[in-house]
Amino acid sequence: MGRRCLGLLLALVLLAGLLPVHAEAAGGPKLAAVTFDDGPGPYTGQLLDELEKRGVQVTFFMQGQNASRYPDIVRRAYEGGHQIASHTYSHPQLTKLSDKDVLGELAGAAGALDRAIGTHGIYMLRPPYGSVDARVLSVIGVPAILWSVDTRDWESRNADAIYRHIVNDTRDGSILLLHDIHAASIPGALRGIDALLSQGYELVTVSELLRRRGLEAAPGARYASAPGTTTLPAIAPPAITAEAAPGGQRVTLSAEAGTTVYYTTDGSRPTSRSQVYAAPFLLEESGTVRAFAAYDLNGGRGPAAEQKLEIPRVEAPVITLEGESAVISAAAGEVRYTLDGTAPTADAPLYEGPVPLPAGTLLQAIAAASGCGNSPVVSLLRSQRGNLFTDVRPEAWYYQAVDEMVERGLLSTEDGAFSPERAATRRELVTVLYRLAGESESEGALSFPDVKREDTAAFAWAVERGILSGFDDGTLRPEGPLTREQLVAVLYRMQMKKSAVSEESGLYGFEDWGDIHSYAWDAMDWAVSSGVLRGVSGTRLAPGGLVTRAQLASLLLRWQGLGE
Ligand code: NI
């Protein structure tokens, strides 16, 4: 080396002396990565609980054979933002294995971790006993992670000793070695972690330690620590912003370039399986958006952001029929409507005045305002027979029966609502039958403790004719529901001529024939053979199932048809 070169070297050394050597000296953040080997085991769940309380992410170098034993723990650690890494399948000394056997150990561990997590991952390797050489490094295909702080927890099995190692030996960029298969390692690690946090350390996963120190986690590279003069920022929680849009609020999630954002809108904790953010989305009702950004789902997740969004819903419009046209009025917002059976959206025709509504037409409408959720859809069906329904659609299986029963005044609507799915009551059945019978006056002056005066005549008629009987306590329970077999039994008693019960009852064709009460057997047999009652499926009659108003309408119509 000539004089010139020597002088240049001297200058460089002097220059280097002026630069800060340690991040600490520069006041930069102090980073350290806590790692646990050999698990998971019986203490790992408790460790995860405690780490979660502290918001600390660590790295687990797991043995494949133990991951297979505790797959739920592996998955929980993964979703908790910890890094899942490999400690081989069965813990051999890799330098003593052939290339093929080294790869077999790694593939076995990766397979066990993949199965537990449910996805294909890349797992950094910690060679058992730290035993690795150039040959092993050349075949593993992932970085080998060693350590700079050995807590010797496997040797001491003493929480105080482990704590002292952590506090005394940790420096900026340290990778700490612990083992979560020893009971004493858990309290020792946690006390050490608390001490490091109070000293201002940021505790991160190994992959985050390398990323933030600008180091590439290259295959075959070996790392034992990552001190550095420069530190990239931690992964920030995504910024959640919302602005008024038609039908709700348009939500934008922004995060650092290179990250992927995972989010939920129902307030639940976002996971690797949550929605991936691609573009601003419309939130149509109040909810809590939670989101995290990740460079890597495995140990590269940032903290979650959370924002509650209040999105008022526009009040539903009101539809009335005036002459031949429907008039729609809304308390707020604009009204959109359809006449073709499709649900109205923000693109549907704008209501500007009365809409002609010929018989057989279904009108549906919503009220909408920017920044608010659309109102519920309201509808008005003007039926073929001229009835008005707010809750019956023309394609409903019961539409024709309901339309006919309402037209004949046997069943009624309330402000246009038929309530087809509501359970029919005993009073409704008795009232229909009474009307069908011509509303003949009852002879006696029966009264029942729980029947309203206006219903007394109908109930007295039903009781006198033996169609309906009271309960043991003297009540008739007019608002009580009807089971299918109770309804059929009443209709059977109404029949003037009772058909002879067939010898080979068709009821045995249903697998639940044993559920039929004996009092209702003949009635059920008659109802099924005459077609009044049909099975709820090909194999079930559901005799104890409740009768809805829609079912009552269609069953009564079929029963009426028998007499014609
Ligand atoms: Ni080990």
Side-chain angles (χ1 to χ4, degrees):
M1 198 178 282
R3 277 182 98 91
R4 257 181 81 126
C5 289
L6 202 67
L8 191 62
L9 188 66
L10 195 66
L12 279 174
V13 168
L14 285 172
L15 193 62
L18 298 175
L19 295 170
V21 175
H22 298 293
E24 251 174 284
K30 292 186 291 186
L31 305 183
V34 179
T35 71
F36 293 91
D37 283 13
D38 291 348
Y43 313 115
T44 311
Q46 185 210 342
L47 174 61
L48 289 173
D49 291 341
E50 294 297 325
L51 293 173
E52 191 175 340
K53 284 181 201 164
R54 292 160 172 81
V56 166
Q57 269 87 46
V58 302
T59 302
F60 290 99
F61 290 96
M62 296 178 171
Q63 291 188 44
Q65 58 186 354
N66 289 340
S68 298
R69 215 166 291 154
Y70 298 94
D72 293 348
I73 291 283
V74 179
R75 172 147 194 85
R76 189 185 153 198
Y78 177 77
E79 291 297 358
H82 304 288
Q83 183 176 352
I84 307 302
S86 169
H87 196 41
T88 74
Y89 188 81
S90 61
H91 211 268
Q93 192 171 338
L94 294 180
T95 48
K96 291 186 173 168
L97 298 188
S98 69
D99 290 1
K100 182 165 166 282
D101 289 348
V102 168
L103 289 173
E105 276 289 331
L106 265 59
L113 296 174
D114 280 352
R115 276 192 297 280
I117 294 169
T119 185
H120 175 65
I122 292 170
Y123 306 103
M124 292 183 181
L125 173 70
R126 171 158 292 153
Y129 318 102
S131 175
V132 72
D133 56 20
R135 179 188 65 88
V136 169
L137 287 173
S138 73
V139 300
I140 57 178
V142 290
I145 308 299
L146 301 174
W147 57 86
S148 58
V149 175
D150 186 353
T151 63
R152 306 195 74 76
D153 59 337
W154 54 274
E155 190 179 58
S156 73
R157 310 282 178 99
N158 180 300
D160 290 333
I162 295 164
Y163 163 77
R164 279 195 302 275
H165 267 298
I166 293 173
V167 173
N168 294 337
D169 302 348
T170 302
R171 303 284 177 270
D172 175 46
S174 287
I175 296 176
L176 290 75
L177 172 65
L178 291 121
H179 298 80
D180 54 326
I181 52 166
H182 303 305
S185 296
I186 311 302
L190 292 169
R191 278 178 59 200
I193 282 170
D194 289 340
L196 294 180
L197 290 174
S198 69
Q199 289 171 24
Y201 273 93
E202 282 183 62
L203 301 180
V204 295
T205 63
V206 169
S207 65
E208 272 297 283
L209 175 66
L210 298 182
R211 182 188 71 81
R212 292 184 62 188
R213 286 284 145 82
L215 297 171
E216 189 196 354
R222 176 167 37 180
Y223 298 99
S225 66
T229 52
T230 57
T231 305
L232 298 175
I235 308 170
I240 303 172
T241 53
E243 58 177 355
Q249 298 206 10
R250 190 160 297 284
V251 179
T252 302
L253 306 177
S254 35
E256 286 153 71
T259 61
T260 302
V261 173
Y262 297 80
Y263 72 97
T264 61
T265 58
D266 62 0
S268 66
R269 179 173 151 167
T271 69
S272 63
R273 298 187 181 183
S274 297
Q275 198 111 12
V276 172
Y277 178 76
F281 58 89
L282 185 71
L283 197 63
E284 297 175 41
E285 53 190 61
S286 295
T288 298
V289 176
R290 292 177 71 181
F292 68 83
Y295 281 103
D296 183 346
L297 281 171
N298 187 10
R301 305 183 191 198
E306 180 175 331
Q307 180 144 346
K308 199 168 185 268
L309 294 169
E310 292 292 348
I311 300 174
R313 199 170 188 192
V314 185
E315 211 176 297
V318 176
I319 309 175
T320 51
L321 190 71
E322 294 186 4
E324 295 295 307
S325 294
V327 174
I328 314 174
S329 53
E334 56 186 29
V335 171
R336 303 273 172 177
Y337 71 96
T338 60
L339 291 167
D340 61 1
T342 61
T345 64
D347 304 326
L350 179 67
Y351 175 78
E352 289 168 318
V355 180
L357 193 69
T361 309
L362 175 69
L363 169 67
Q364 297 184 88
I366 53 168
S370 182
C372 300
N374 293 338
S375 77
V377 176
V378 292
S379 68
L380 186 67
L381 170 65
R382 192 176 184 196
S383 78
Q384 290 294 357
R385 296 166 193 267
N387 294 312
L388 295 177
F389 293 107
T390 59
D391 57 359
V392 173
R393 297 177 63 96
E395 69 272 21
W397 61 268
Y398 49 79
Y399 168 54
Q400 295 296 343
V402 167
D403 199 21
E404 185 170 341
M405 295 301 276
V406 169
E407 190 200 15
R408 290 167 61 184
L410 297 172
L411 290 170
S412 54
T413 59
E414 208 168 295
D415 293 330
F418 180 76
S419 306
E421 301 304 330
R422 176 166 71 65
T425 64
R426 291 159 59 85
R427 183 178 56 75
E428 286 163 346
L429 173 62
V430 166
T431 306
V432 175
L433 297 178
Y434 184 56
R435 285 176 191 162
L436 280 172
E439 308 199 3
S440 56
E441 281 300 310
S442 69
E443 322 259 308
L446 291 176
S447 76
F448 310 97
D450 57 347
V451 174
K452 286 192 191 133
R453 234 183 44 185
E454 63 265 32
D455 297 327
T456 303
F459 274 93
W461 166 84
V463 171
E464 280 169 4
R465 274 165 186 64
I467 296 164
L468 192 76
S469 49
F471 290 89
D472 288 345
D473 60 1
T475 61
L476 283 170
R477 303 184 194 170
E479 299 307 326
L482 280 166
T483 63
R484 287 156 60 82
E485 65 179 3
Q486 284 166 354
L487 169 60
V488 159
V490 166
L491 298 182
Y492 185 58
R493 287 180 211 126
M494 288 278 291
Q495 285 295 106
M496 297 309 283
K497 67 175 191 317
K498 302 208 183 344
S499 51
V501 173
S502 51
E503 299 208 342
E504 293 266 313
S505 175
L507 299 180
Y508 294 116
F510 294 93
E511 62 189 23
D512 56 353
W513 61 267
D515 296 344
I516 300 170
H517 287 97
S518 55
Y519 81 86
W521 184 268
D522 288 356
M524 290 290 275
D525 201 16
W526 156 79
V528 169
S529 62
S530 64
V532 167
L533 188 72
R534 297 170 186 168
V536 293
S537 71
T539 56
R540 288 178 50 79
L541 268 178
L546 296 187
V547 179
T548 66
R549 282 167 53 81
Q551 289 166 345
L552 180 64
S554 60
L555 202 136
L556 285 174
L557 204 63
R558 284 204 295 272
W559 175 64
Q560 282 248 286
L562 290 183
E564 286 166 8

